[in-house]
Amino acid sequence: METPCIRCGKTRIVKRKWKETVERGAPIIHVETVCPDPECQKIVDAQFAEIRQKRELQESRKTSVKI
């Protein structure tokens, strides 16, 4: 399974892979991939952190609204 970097288009590489077993189910295999260019990966991580913060802010606003 090859996926391109969302920023530069290079083929992403596997950083780590682990297996998780849940109750009453099949094991789940997690694969974390990163861009082979560390500087590009830092920028992508920063973009995702910004998106995550915006989403958390919106969710906190949504839960604090009282009708």
Side-chain angles (χ1 to χ4, degrees), residues 4-29:
C5 174
I6 61 171
R7 185 172 172 275
C8 68
K10 294 179 185 175
T11 302
R12 295 173 66 82
I13 58 174
V14 174
K15 179 179 179 183
R16 66 184 181 137
K17 187 176 186 178
W18 69 98
K19 192 178 200 179
E20 180 181 342
T21 306
V22 294
E23 287 185 40
R24 301 182 303 153
I28 300 170
I29 298 173

PDB file of all heavy atoms in Angstrom, residues 4-29:
ATOM      1  N   PRO A   4       0.828   8.775  -1.259  1.00  0.00           N
ATOM      2  CA  PRO A   4       1.684   9.946  -1.441  1.00  0.00           C
ATOM      3  C   PRO A   4       1.534  10.931  -0.288  1.00  0.00           C
ATOM      4  O   PRO A   4       0.494  10.993   0.370  1.00  0.00           O
ATOM      5  CB  PRO A   4       1.179  10.549  -2.743  1.00  0.00           C
ATOM      6  CG  PRO A   4      -0.264  10.171  -2.783  1.00  0.00           C
ATOM      7  CD  PRO A   4      -0.336   8.809  -2.133  1.00  0.00           C
ATOM      8  N   CYS A   5       2.569  11.717  -0.058  1.00  0.00           N
ATOM      9  CA  CYS A   5       2.515  12.796   0.926  1.00  0.00           C
ATOM     10  C   CYS A   5       1.520  13.830   0.420  1.00  0.00           C
ATOM     11  O   CYS A   5       1.479  14.132  -0.782  1.00  0.00           O
ATOM     12  CB  CYS A   5       3.901  13.420   1.093  1.00  0.00           C
ATOM     13  SG  CYS A   5       3.928  14.879   2.160  1.00  0.00           S
ATOM     14  N   ILE A   6       0.707  14.384   1.308  1.00  0.00           N
ATOM     15  CA  ILE A   6      -0.313  15.348   0.885  1.00  0.00           C
ATOM     16  C   ILE A   6       0.294  16.685   0.490  1.00  0.00           C
ATOM     17  O   ILE A   6      -0.351  17.488  -0.167  1.00  0.00           O
ATOM     18  CB  ILE A   6      -1.379  15.564   1.987  1.00  0.00           C
ATOM     19  CG1 ILE A   6      -0.737  16.123   3.242  1.00  0.00           C
ATOM     20  CG2 ILE A   6      -2.133  14.283   2.257  1.00  0.00           C
ATOM     21  CD1 ILE A   6      -1.738  16.572   4.289  1.00  0.00           C
ATOM     22  N   ARG A   7       1.532  16.920   0.871  1.00  0.00           N
ATOM     23  CA  ARG A   7       2.169  18.197   0.584  1.00  0.00           C
ATOM     24  C   ARG A   7       3.112  18.119  -0.612  1.00  0.00           C
ATOM     25  O   ARG A   7       3.016  18.904  -1.538  1.00  0.00           O
ATOM     26  CB  ARG A   7       2.923  18.700   1.816  1.00  0.00           C
ATOM     27  CG  ARG A   7       3.493  20.061   1.639  1.00  0.00           C
ATOM     28  CD  ARG A   7       4.055  20.594   2.966  1.00  0.00           C
ATOM     29  NE  ARG A   7       4.748  21.823   2.712  1.00  0.00           N
ATOM     30  CZ  ARG A   7       6.017  21.912   2.318  1.00  0.00           C
ATOM     31  NH1 ARG A   7       6.719  20.811   2.173  1.00  0.00           N
ATOM     32  NH2 ARG A   7       6.563  23.084   2.092  1.00  0.00           N
ATOM     33  N   CYS A   8       4.044  17.159  -0.609  1.00  0.00           N
ATOM     34  CA  CYS A   8       5.063  17.117  -1.661  1.00  0.00           C
ATOM     35  C   CYS A   8       4.841  16.002  -2.693  1.00  0.00           C
ATOM     36  O   CYS A   8       5.434  16.029  -3.757  1.00  0.00           O
ATOM     37  CB  CYS A   8       6.455  16.983  -1.047  1.00  0.00           C
ATOM     38  SG  CYS A   8       6.754  15.399  -0.235  1.00  0.00           S
ATOM     39  N   GLY A   9       4.016  15.015  -2.371  1.00  0.00           N
ATOM     40  CA  GLY A   9       3.709  13.954  -3.321  1.00  0.00           C
ATOM     41  C   GLY A   9       4.657  12.760  -3.290  1.00  0.00           C
ATOM     42  O   GLY A   9       4.450  11.786  -4.009  1.00  0.00           O
ATOM     43  N   LYS A  10       5.700  12.811  -2.452  1.00  0.00           N
ATOM     44  CA  LYS A  10       6.614  11.671  -2.348  1.00  0.00           C
ATOM     45  C   LYS A  10       5.887  10.499  -1.690  1.00  0.00           C
ATOM     46  O   LYS A  10       4.955  10.688  -0.911  1.00  0.00           O
ATOM     47  CB  LYS A  10       7.834  12.034  -1.496  1.00  0.00           C
ATOM     48  CG  LYS A  10       8.721  13.089  -2.094  1.00  0.00           C
ATOM     49  CD  LYS A  10       9.873  13.395  -1.158  1.00  0.00           C
ATOM     50  CE  LYS A  10      10.703  14.547  -1.686  1.00  0.00           C
ATOM     51  NZ  LYS A  10      11.746  14.940  -0.733  1.00  0.00           N
ATOM     52  N   THR A  11       6.325   9.290  -2.006  1.00  0.00           N
ATOM     53  CA  THR A  11       5.729   8.100  -1.401  1.00  0.00           C
ATOM     54  C   THR A  11       6.083   8.053   0.074  1.00  0.00           C
ATOM     55  O   THR A  11       7.252   8.141   0.447  1.00  0.00           O
ATOM     56  CB  THR A  11       6.237   6.828  -2.096  1.00  0.00           C
ATOM     57  OG1 THR A  11       5.915   6.901  -3.479  1.00  0.00           O
ATOM     58  CG2 THR A  11       5.588   5.594  -1.502  1.00  0.00           C
ATOM     59  N   ARG A  12       5.053   7.924   0.915  1.00  0.00           N
ATOM     60  CA  ARG A  12       5.251   7.912   2.368  1.00  0.00           C
ATOM     61  C   ARG A  12       5.878   6.587   2.789  1.00  0.00           C
ATOM     62  O   ARG A  12       5.696   5.566   2.142  1.00  0.00           O
ATOM     63  CB  ARG A  12       3.918   8.139   3.067  1.00  0.00           C
ATOM     64  CG  ARG A  12       3.364   9.532   2.772  1.00  0.00           C
ATOM     65  CD  ARG A  12       1.970   9.740   3.313  1.00  0.00           C
ATOM     66  NE  ARG A  12       1.903   9.725   4.753  1.00  0.00           N
ATOM     67  CZ  ARG A  12       2.191  10.765   5.541  1.00  0.00           C
ATOM     68  NH1 ARG A  12       2.552  11.898   5.019  1.00  0.00           N
ATOM     69  NH2 ARG A  12       2.087  10.665   6.840  1.00  0.00           N
ATOM     70  N   ILE A  13       6.620   6.614   3.904  1.00  0.00           N
ATOM     71  CA  ILE A  13       7.278   5.412   4.420  1.00  0.00           C
ATOM     72  C   ILE A  13       6.670   5.044   5.767  1.00  0.00           C
ATOM     73  O   ILE A  13       6.095   5.893   6.460  1.00  0.00           O
ATOM     74  CB  ILE A  13       8.803   5.612   4.554  1.00  0.00           C
ATOM     75  CG1 ILE A  13       9.119   6.802   5.471  1.00  0.00           C
ATOM     76  CG2 ILE A  13       9.443   5.793   3.191  1.00  0.00           C
ATOM     77  CD1 ILE A  13      10.590   6.990   5.776  1.00  0.00           C
ATOM     78  N   VAL A  14       6.807   3.778   6.156  1.00  0.00           N
ATOM     79  CA  VAL A  14       6.251   3.288   7.416  1.00  0.00           C
ATOM     80  C   VAL A  14       7.154   3.732   8.560  1.00  0.00           C
ATOM     81  O   VAL A  14       8.353   3.470   8.561  1.00  0.00           O
ATOM     82  CB  VAL A  14       6.124   1.753   7.408  1.00  0.00           C
ATOM     83  CG1 VAL A  14       5.675   1.249   8.764  1.00  0.00           C
ATOM     84  CG2 VAL A  14       5.155   1.316   6.324  1.00  0.00           C
ATOM     85  N   LYS A  15       6.563   4.442   9.520  1.00  0.00           N
ATOM     86  CA  LYS A  15       7.302   4.865  10.708  1.00  0.00           C
ATOM     87  C   LYS A  15       7.229   3.783  11.780  1.00  0.00           C
ATOM     88  O   LYS A  15       8.220   3.411  12.377  1.00  0.00           O
ATOM     89  CB  LYS A  15       6.739   6.172  11.256  1.00  0.00           C
ATOM     90  CG  LYS A  15       7.433   6.668  12.507  1.00  0.00           C
ATOM     91  CD  LYS A  15       6.847   7.970  12.987  1.00  0.00           C
ATOM     92  CE  LYS A  15       7.536   8.444  14.261  1.00  0.00           C
ATOM     93  NZ  LYS A  15       6.917   9.671  14.762  1.00  0.00           N
ATOM     94  N   ARG A  16       6.004   3.309  12.027  1.00  0.00           N
ATOM     95  CA  ARG A  16       5.832   2.228  12.997  1.00  0.00           C
ATOM     96  C   ARG A  16       4.556   1.465  12.676  1.00  0.00           C
ATOM     97  O   ARG A  16       3.648   1.978  12.025  1.00  0.00           O
ATOM     98  CB  ARG A  16       5.824   2.738  14.427  1.00  0.00           C
ATOM     99  CG  ARG A  16       4.655   3.612  14.789  1.00  0.00           C
ATOM    100  CD  ARG A  16       4.795   4.141  16.205  1.00  0.00           C
ATOM    101  NE  ARG A  16       3.629   4.950  16.513  1.00  0.00           N
ATOM    102  CZ  ARG A  16       2.972   4.904  17.647  1.00  0.00           C
ATOM    103  NH1 ARG A  16       3.364   4.102  18.600  1.00  0.00           N
ATOM    104  NH2 ARG A  16       1.933   5.678  17.856  1.00  0.00           N
ATOM    105  N   LYS A  17       4.534   0.230  13.152  1.00  0.00           N
ATOM    106  CA  LYS A  17       3.407  -0.671  12.904  1.00  0.00           C
ATOM    107  C   LYS A  17       3.167  -1.449  14.182  1.00  0.00           C
ATOM    108  O   LYS A  17       4.125  -1.928  14.793  1.00  0.00           O
ATOM    109  CB  LYS A  17       3.781  -1.608  11.759  1.00  0.00           C
ATOM    110  CG  LYS A  17       2.702  -2.485  11.250  1.00  0.00           C
ATOM    111  CD  LYS A  17       3.213  -3.270  10.058  1.00  0.00           C
ATOM    112  CE  LYS A  17       2.108  -4.074   9.427  1.00  0.00           C
ATOM    113  NZ  LYS A  17       2.563  -4.799   8.241  1.00  0.00           N
ATOM    114  N   TRP A  18       1.894  -1.531  14.613  1.00  0.00           N
ATOM    115  CA  TRP A  18       1.600  -2.289  15.827  1.00  0.00           C
ATOM    116  C   TRP A  18       0.238  -2.947  15.705  1.00  0.00           C
ATOM    117  O   TRP A  18      -0.586  -2.588  14.893  1.00  0.00           O
ATOM    118  CB  TRP A  18       1.696  -1.405  17.063  1.00  0.00           C
ATOM    119  CG  TRP A  18       0.629  -0.360  17.203  1.00  0.00           C
ATOM    120  CD1 TRP A  18      -0.508  -0.441  17.948  1.00  0.00           C
ATOM    121  CD2 TRP A  18       0.583   0.928  16.583  1.00  0.00           C
ATOM    122  NE1 TRP A  18      -1.243   0.703  17.835  1.00  0.00           N
ATOM    123  CE2 TRP A  18      -0.590   1.573  17.004  1.00  0.00           C
ATOM    124  CE3 TRP A  18       1.416   1.613  15.707  1.00  0.00           C
ATOM    125  CZ2 TRP A  18      -0.956   2.850  16.566  1.00  0.00           C
ATOM    126  CZ3 TRP A  18       1.058   2.884  15.280  1.00  0.00           C
ATOM    127  CH2 TRP A  18      -0.112   3.475  15.719  1.00  0.00           C
ATOM    128  N   LYS A  19       0.067  -3.955  16.545  1.00  0.00           N
ATOM    129  CA  LYS A  19      -1.148  -4.770  16.531  1.00  0.00           C
ATOM    130  C   LYS A  19      -1.889  -4.551  17.838  1.00  0.00           C
ATOM    131  O   LYS A  19      -1.280  -4.546  18.905  1.00  0.00           O
ATOM    132  CB  LYS A  19      -0.749  -6.227  16.390  1.00  0.00           C
ATOM    133  CG  LYS A  19      -1.851  -7.176  16.084  1.00  0.00           C
ATOM    134  CD  LYS A  19      -1.255  -8.565  15.926  1.00  0.00           C
ATOM    135  CE  LYS A  19      -2.163  -9.469  15.175  1.00  0.00           C
ATOM    136  NZ  LYS A  19      -1.582 -10.799  15.012  1.00  0.00           N
ATOM    137  N   GLU A  20      -3.196  -4.363  17.746  1.00  0.00           N
ATOM    138  CA  GLU A  20      -4.029  -4.143  18.929  1.00  0.00           C
ATOM    139  C   GLU A  20      -5.137  -5.189  18.930  1.00  0.00           C
ATOM    140  O   GLU A  20      -5.778  -5.423  17.911  1.00  0.00           O
ATOM    141  CB  GLU A  20      -4.628  -2.732  18.873  1.00  0.00           C
ATOM    142  CG  GLU A  20      -5.503  -2.387  20.031  1.00  0.00           C
ATOM    143  CD  GLU A  20      -6.073  -0.978  19.897  1.00  0.00           C
ATOM    144  OE1 GLU A  20      -5.564  -0.175  19.124  1.00  0.00           O
ATOM    145  OE2 GLU A  20      -7.068  -0.710  20.582  1.00  0.00           O
ATOM    146  N   THR A  21      -5.333  -5.802  20.069  1.00  0.00           N
ATOM    147  CA  THR A  21      -6.385  -6.795  20.197  1.00  0.00           C
ATOM    148  C   THR A  21      -7.507  -6.219  21.046  1.00  0.00           C
ATOM    149  O   THR A  21      -7.269  -5.671  22.122  1.00  0.00           O
ATOM    150  CB  THR A  21      -5.846  -8.075  20.865  1.00  0.00           C
ATOM    151  OG1 THR A  21      -4.704  -8.519  20.133  1.00  0.00           O
ATOM    152  CG2 THR A  21      -6.882  -9.164  20.870  1.00  0.00           C
ATOM    153  N   VAL A  22      -8.722  -6.321  20.533  1.00  0.00           N
ATOM    154  CA  VAL A  22      -9.888  -5.821  21.259  1.00  0.00           C
ATOM    155  C   VAL A  22     -10.737  -7.003  21.690  1.00  0.00           C
ATOM    156  O   VAL A  22     -10.641  -8.096  21.138  1.00  0.00           O
ATOM    157  CB  VAL A  22     -10.721  -4.846  20.383  1.00  0.00           C
ATOM    158  CG1 VAL A  22      -9.942  -3.593  20.084  1.00  0.00           C
ATOM    159  CG2 VAL A  22     -11.165  -5.501  19.103  1.00  0.00           C
ATOM    160  N   GLU A  23     -11.572  -6.746  22.694  1.00  0.00           N
ATOM    161  CA  GLU A  23     -12.450  -7.813  23.173  1.00  0.00           C
ATOM    162  C   GLU A  23     -13.423  -8.232  22.074  1.00  0.00           C
ATOM    163  O   GLU A  23     -13.954  -7.401  21.347  1.00  0.00           O
ATOM    164  CB  GLU A  23     -13.256  -7.331  24.377  1.00  0.00           C
ATOM    165  CG  GLU A  23     -12.456  -7.196  25.639  1.00  0.00           C
ATOM    166  CD  GLU A  23     -13.347  -6.823  26.805  1.00  0.00           C
ATOM    167  OE1 GLU A  23     -14.469  -7.365  26.903  1.00  0.00           O
ATOM    168  OE2 GLU A  23     -12.911  -5.985  27.603  1.00  0.00           O
ATOM    169  N   ARG A  24     -13.666  -9.508  21.986  1.00  0.00           N
ATOM    170  CA  ARG A  24     -14.644 -10.072  21.061  1.00  0.00           C
ATOM    171  C   ARG A  24     -14.478  -9.573  19.634  1.00  0.00           C
ATOM    172  O   ARG A  24     -15.427  -9.191  18.973  1.00  0.00           O
ATOM    173  CB  ARG A  24     -16.066  -9.773  21.518  1.00  0.00           C
ATOM    174  CG  ARG A  24     -16.384 -10.311  22.893  1.00  0.00           C
ATOM    175  CD  ARG A  24     -17.798 -10.036  23.279  1.00  0.00           C
ATOM    176  NE  ARG A  24     -18.070  -8.606  23.218  1.00  0.00           N
ATOM    177  CZ  ARG A  24     -19.248  -8.071  23.005  1.00  0.00           C
ATOM    178  NH1 ARG A  24     -20.291  -8.825  22.854  1.00  0.00           N
ATOM    179  NH2 ARG A  24     -19.418  -6.763  22.975  1.00  0.00           N
ATOM    180  N   GLY A  25     -13.269  -9.545  19.143  1.00  0.00           N
ATOM    181  CA  GLY A  25     -13.065  -9.100  17.774  1.00  0.00           C
ATOM    182  C   GLY A  25     -11.725  -9.520  17.221  1.00  0.00           C
ATOM    183  O   GLY A  25     -10.873 -10.049  17.927  1.00  0.00           O
ATOM    184  N   ALA A  26     -11.571  -9.248  15.949  1.00  0.00           N
ATOM    185  CA  ALA A  26     -10.310  -9.565  15.292  1.00  0.00           C
ATOM    186  C   ALA A  26      -9.255  -8.544  15.686  1.00  0.00           C
ATOM    187  O   ALA A  26      -9.575  -7.398  16.017  1.00  0.00           O
ATOM    188  CB  ALA A  26     -10.517  -9.549  13.785  1.00  0.00           C
ATOM    189  N   PRO A  27      -7.998  -8.917  15.663  1.00  0.00           N
ATOM    190  CA  PRO A  27      -6.940  -7.962  15.975  1.00  0.00           C
ATOM    191  C   PRO A  27      -6.900  -6.844  14.928  1.00  0.00           C
ATOM    192  O   PRO A  27      -7.186  -7.060  13.757  1.00  0.00           O
ATOM    193  CB  PRO A  27      -5.666  -8.790  15.940  1.00  0.00           C
ATOM    194  CG  PRO A  27      -6.016 -10.129  15.437  1.00  0.00           C
ATOM    195  CD  PRO A  27      -7.488 -10.246  15.393  1.00  0.00           C
ATOM    196  N   ILE A  28      -6.531  -5.652  15.374  1.00  0.00           N
ATOM    197  CA  ILE A  28      -6.445  -4.487  14.500  1.00  0.00           C
ATOM    198  C   ILE A  28      -4.968  -4.162  14.306  1.00  0.00           C
ATOM    199  O   ILE A  28      -4.219  -4.074  15.276  1.00  0.00           O
ATOM    200  CB  ILE A  28      -7.161  -3.286  15.119  1.00  0.00           C
ATOM    201  CG1 ILE A  28      -8.633  -3.619  15.329  1.00  0.00           C
ATOM    202  CG2 ILE A  28      -7.012  -2.060  14.239  1.00  0.00           C
ATOM    203  CD1 ILE A  28      -9.358  -2.580  16.158  1.00  0.00           C
ATOM    204  N   ILE A  29      -4.569  -3.981  13.051  1.00  0.00           N
ATOM    205  CA  ILE A  29      -3.185  -3.633  12.756  1.00  0.00           C
ATOM    206  C   ILE A  29      -3.143  -2.153  12.391  1.00  0.00           C
ATOM    207  O   ILE A  29      -3.818  -1.716  11.468  1.00  0.00           O
ATOM    208  CB  ILE A  29      -2.631  -4.493  11.611  1.00  0.00           C
ATOM    209  CG1 ILE A  29      -2.644  -5.961  12.019  1.00  0.00           C
ATOM    210  CG2 ILE A  29      -1.235  -4.036  11.228  1.00  0.00           C
ATOM    211  CD1 ILE A  29      -2.276  -6.917  10.906  1.00  0.00           C
TER     212      ILE A  29
END
